[in-house]
Amino acid sequence: MAEQRIALVTGANKGIGLAVARGLLALGLVVYLGCRDPENGRRAAASLEDLAPGARSVRLDVTEAASITAAFDRLDREEGVLDILVNNAGIVGPLDPPSASSMQGLRETYETNVFGVVAVTNAMLPLLRRSPAGRIVNLTSDLGSLTLASADPSFPQLLAYNSSKTALNAITVTYANELRSDGILVNAVSPGSVATDQNGHRGELTPDQGARLPIRFATLPQHGPTGTAVTAGSDLEERPLPW
Ligand SMILES: NC(=O)c1ccc[n+]([C@@H]2O[C@H](COP(=O)([O-])OP(=O)(O)OC[C@H]3O[C@@H](n4cnc5c(N)ncnc54)[C@H](OP(=O)(O)O)[C@@H]3O)[C@@H](O)[C@H]2O)c1
């Protein structure tokens, strides 16, 4: 068993994922940066070298079963355990409202934001179960909140993205209930509105600010919450995210 805590962050070559990796490294963890493009992964890991020696890039496309299996094999061989899984990889998908949505756009969005999370989580569970304190953080969005959407007729109408994050919230609660007895805490964290490629850098927070809540939930103490959803406001304070 490794002595240092081991983390895997998906979609870690840029944006919030890279900032989460940076923050976990600063806490002294070994961090595997899951990146679908190996060259981007190498560059991202190299950019963190000055901070700590524990950054490793691993090829991981969350929609590709073979790459998930290969990432599991490598972590199993090199570490034998995984303490933290941050399911960060996500796409915004088509910006279409429901009436203009294509099935292809919906399927592509769900492949990454929904099925990708389940596939990576299930693949990594044998390693997480070997941890004394497994933690799973799923990057959700305020746009997945049914409560917020139903209270506001002008709520953004992105069918694919919003509903994929709603599904992710349901998935989070279901895993939390199953894994409670293993001591694995599973939570959905919305980083707030963060300036990244995903939104043309129009968010209010920097990636490092957006990474704060995911990092907090990735490093929860033993009796921390599970099956919850939280969000960060522009003041960076943590609030419950209504389902
Ligand atoms: N930015 C916000 O305000 C905001 C708000 C709420 C929730 N979020 C969520 O936070 C997460 C990170 O978003 P971000 O803003 O940092 O977006 P981003 O800058 O666009 O980064 C997305 C990351 O996901 C990766 N990715 C996409 N598809 C993938 C796949 N099939 N396999 C592996 N990696 C894949 C991307 O890799 P490539 O570089 O190869 O494309 C990239 O590394 C997402 O889940 C997003 O929905 C963001």
Side-chain angles (χ1 to χ4, degrees):
M1 291 280 276
E3 289 171 11
Q4 257 179 317
R5 275 184 299 168
I6 314 295
L8 170 64
V9 182
T10 68
N13 51 290
K14 65 180 184 182
I16 297 163
L18 178 60
V20 169
R22 189 185 302 121
L24 292 174
L25 277 169
L27 294 174
L29 279 81
V30 171
V31 182
Y32 284 76
L33 288 82
C35 306
R36 59 178 163 177
D37 179 307
E39 192 44 47
N40 287 344
R42 268 190 290 279
R43 249 200 307 271
S47 77
L48 301 174
E49 253 167 27
D50 287 349
L51 183 67
R56 286 144 211 200
S57 77
V58 58
R59 181 165 184 276
L60 180 53
D61 183 328
V62 304
T63 66
E64 214 187 276
S67 95
I68 298 173
T69 304
F72 166 81
D73 288 343
R74 184 164 153 211
L75 273 156
D76 191 26
R77 196 172 57 246
E78 293 183 1
E79 311 294 346
V81 66
L82 182 63
D83 300 288
I84 293 166
L85 170 62
V86 181
N87 286 310
N88 166 79
I91 58 170
V92 74
L95 304 180
D96 304 319
S99 59
S101 287
S102 73
M103 292 310 296
Q104 193 192 340
L106 265 175
R107 285 199 178 99
E108 281 171 7
T109 309
Y110 275 60
E111 283 297 339
T112 302
N113 296 4
V114 180
F115 307 138
V117 172
V118 173
V120 172
T121 301
N122 284 351
M124 297 300 160
L125 266 179
L127 294 174
L128 284 158
R129 285 196 163 104
R130 289 183 208 149
S131 168
R135 305 286 179 260
I136 299 174
V137 176
N138 294 331
L139 267 286
T140 189
S141 167
D142 290 24
L143 295 180
S145 167
L146 297 178
T147 305
L148 297 181
S150 59
D152 177 7
S154 66
F155 201 75
Q157 296 166 359
L158 316 180
L159 180 68
Y161 185 76
N162 294 9
S163 65
S164 75
K165 294 299 187 182
T166 309
L168 180 62
N169 292 346
I171 285 165
T172 301
V173 175
T174 311
Y175 272 103
N177 286 338
E178 183 187 358
L179 300 177
R180 220 175 272 267
S181 56
D182 295 308
I184 300 175
L185 307 179
V186 190
N187 291 286
V189 176
S190 169
S193 169
V194 183
T196 65
D197 285 353
Q198 181 175 285
N199 51 27
H201 296 265
R202 281 190 293 272
E204 297 168 20
L205 306 177
T206 65
D208 284 330
Q209 290 172 327
R212 283 172 42 151
L213 262 195
I215 291 169
R216 194 179 307 161
F217 276 77
T219 54
L220 283 173
Q222 193 185 0
H223 297 295
T226 191
T228 69
V230 293
T231 184
S234 51
D235 57 2
L236 297 181
E237 285 307 311
E238 170 187 334
R239 298 181 180 79
L241 176 62
W243 299 119

